[in-house]
Structures are given as C-alpha cells and as structure tokens.
C-alpha cells in the first residue's frame, strides 16, 4: 500500500464564462401589427446624405482651419462623416417625439369637442381622424395612430387596449397618463366628457410648461453652439494677421492643436448634457 502511488484525481476543468449575447431590440408593432415604434428612428437616404454632408463639411473646415493641410482636413472630414449619422439619428428621434407630442395635444382638443357634442367613443375618434388629416395631412404620425385606433374599434378591440398600445409605442408620458385615466373612467362608468376635458387641461398645461422651459434653454444652446464656432473663427483671423503659430505645423503645434480640439469637443459634449434637461 505504501509503494503504491495515489492516483491524482483529475479535477474537472472550468469552462470559460460564455459571453452574454447582446439582445436585439424588438420593435413594437402594436395590436394590429402595423404600428410604429417611436423609440427608434429609421434613417432614410436623405437623412444619411444630410448627416454625411454636415459631418464631412464640418470636419473639413475645422481641420483645415487648424492644420492648414488638405490631407489632414480630408481625413478629419471622412471621420466626422462616419460618426455623425448616429448623432443625427438621435436628433431626428427626439424631433419625432416632440412633433408627436404636439400632435397629441391637438388630438385631445378634437376629442374634447366631440365628447362635448354628445358623441360616443367611436364617433369621437372618427371625427378626430378627419381633424388630424385636415391639420397635419394623411402621412402624419398622429393621423396614422388615430386610424389604427378606429380600425381596432371596428374589429371589436377595446379602446383601453388601443390607447395603452399607442402610449407604449409612443413613449409619451402624457399619452400613458391619458390612457390610464381613460381606462379607469370607461370601466367605472364615469363621465367621459368631464374626465377627458379635465385631463386635456392638465396635460395641455404640462406641455405648455415644458415648451416654455425648452424655449428658455434654447438661448443657452445657441450660445453653446456659437462658443464652439468661435475657436475656428479666431484661428482664421490669426492666420489672416500673419501669425506663424496658427499656421505652422511643427510637432509641438500639432500636439497643442490636437489637445485644443479634444478640449473643445469635450466641452461641447458636456455643455449639451448640461442643457439637455429632461422634464
């Protein structure tokens, strides 16, 4: 027994942890399968052309103003053109949400008028569709959403489910509040005319306050944009005055210019985050 060597027990090898696969976002298509998910924005060809054009022109001008070298300017323009579309997509998505919010405000106005005239829910939304088409056109988002609601009502889908579906896809807190109040009121047999009117007033006041705050912040955002353009203008003026520091491309000046551009870019990003107040 002593002469025998103890066999070493083989320990099971630990498998390396598997990398978690990033789950792809599944767009919401609504109860009828034709709804639009406003949490995402699909770039069109014109959007890409605009983003590429602005990015390339901006990068070209800034790099040429600082380094006075066409090759560096072209490289900077190409990099900016590649990066800018993702920021432009976020900008368009935000604009899309703002437009939908303003259109939703007019929808509440139309529904209030219809309920005040003694119409039922189906008639109120049918008239609201006509109003939205006359104001914004058939291709407007709110017109498409009201049409989906009218189609759902004709297919015996509860109005509460249709409104909640629209609120989830839109991402608007005001739409979700209206859908929840409408659901409680409709199921409890409340006075829809009074409830819708009061809800409209509350939501309208909230939207107006948000618009006033955005108007106040727009001045600060414009000042930030102007301040970011000033360094380029100053460099161009220095070149016009014949200053060698602005036009020379020695290793020291190139390093200093690169650091300055990085500081300006960081300052712009921080300034946008400060002025981007979510209400």
């Amino acid at each position: 027994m002593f002469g025998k060597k103890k066999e070493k027990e083989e320990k099971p090898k630990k498998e390396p942890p598997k990398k978690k696969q990033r789950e792809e976002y599944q767009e919401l298509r609504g109860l009828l399968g034709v709804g639009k998910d406003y949490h995402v924005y699909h770039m069109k060809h014109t959007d890409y052309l605009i983003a590429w054009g602005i990015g390339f022109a901006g990068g070209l001008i800034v790099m040429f103003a600082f380094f006075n070298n066409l090759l560096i300017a072209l490289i900077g323009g190409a990099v900016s053109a590649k990066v800018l579309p993702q920021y432009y997509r976020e900008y368009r998505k935000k604009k899309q949400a703002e437009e939908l919010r303003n259109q939703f405000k007019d929808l509440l106005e139309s529904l209030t008028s219809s309920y005040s005239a003694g119409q039922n829910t189906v008639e109120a939304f049918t008239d609201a569709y006509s109003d939205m088409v006359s104001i914004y056109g058939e291709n407007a988002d709110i017109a498409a959403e009201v049409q989906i609601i009218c189609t759902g009502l004709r297919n015996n889908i509860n109005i509460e489910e249709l409104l909640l579906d629209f609120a989830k896809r839109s991402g608007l807190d005001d739409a979700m509040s209206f859908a929840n109040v409408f659901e409680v009121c409709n199921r409890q047999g409340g006075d829809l005319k009074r409830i819708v009117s009061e809800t409209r007033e509350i939501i309208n006041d909230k939207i107006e306050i948000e618009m006033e705050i955005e108007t106040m912040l727009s001045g600060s955002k414009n000042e930030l944009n102007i301040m970011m353009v000033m360094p380029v203008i100053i460099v161009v003026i220095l070149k016009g005055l014949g200053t060698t520091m602005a036009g020379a491309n020695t290793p020291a000046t190139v390093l200093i210019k690169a650091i300055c551009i990085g500081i300006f870019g960081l300052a712009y990003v921080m300034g946008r985050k400060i002025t981007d107040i979510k209400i």
Side-chain angles (χ1 to χ4, degrees), residues 70-118:
L70 184 59
L71 179 60
I72 296 176
L74 290 174
I75 294 173
V79 172
S80 298
K82 185 177 181 180
V83 173
L84 194 63
Q86 60 182 349
Y87 294 99
Y88 188 75
R89 180 184 287 109
E90 293 298 323
Y91 168 78
R92 291 296 302 165
K93 185 176 73 172
K94 186 177 179 180
K95 283 292 182 183
Q96 176 181 257
E98 291 177 357
E99 291 175 0
L100 183 63
R101 184 191 62 180
N102 295 331
Q103 293 171 2
F104 178 70
K105 177 182 176 182
D106 292 331
L107 172 62
L108 294 180
E109 295 280 354
S110 177
L111 291 175
T112 301
S113 301
S114 297
Y115 279 115
S116 299

Side-chain angles (χ1 to χ4, degrees), residues 154-168:
R154 288 195 295 269
N155 287 277
N156 298 322
I157 300 177
N158 293 332
I159 182 62
E160 300 93 339
E161 296 179 4
L162 293 169
L163 289 176
L164 286 173
D165 173 64
F166 164 65
K168 290 177 182 177

Side-chain angles (χ1 to χ4, degrees), residues 7-40:
E7 296 180 357
K8 295 182 179 179
E9 296 180 358
E10 294 183 358
K11 296 182 180 180
K13 296 181 179 179
K14 294 183 180 179
E15 296 182 358
K18 296 181 179 179
K19 294 183 178 179
K20 293 183 179 179
Q21 295 181 352
R22 187 177 180 181
E23 296 181 359
E24 295 184 358
Y25 177 75
Q26 298 294 331
E27 294 187 27
L28 304 174
R29 290 302 179 186
L31 298 175
L32 302 182
V34 294
K36 180 179 179 180
D37 191 347
Y38 298 91
H39 296 90
V40 296

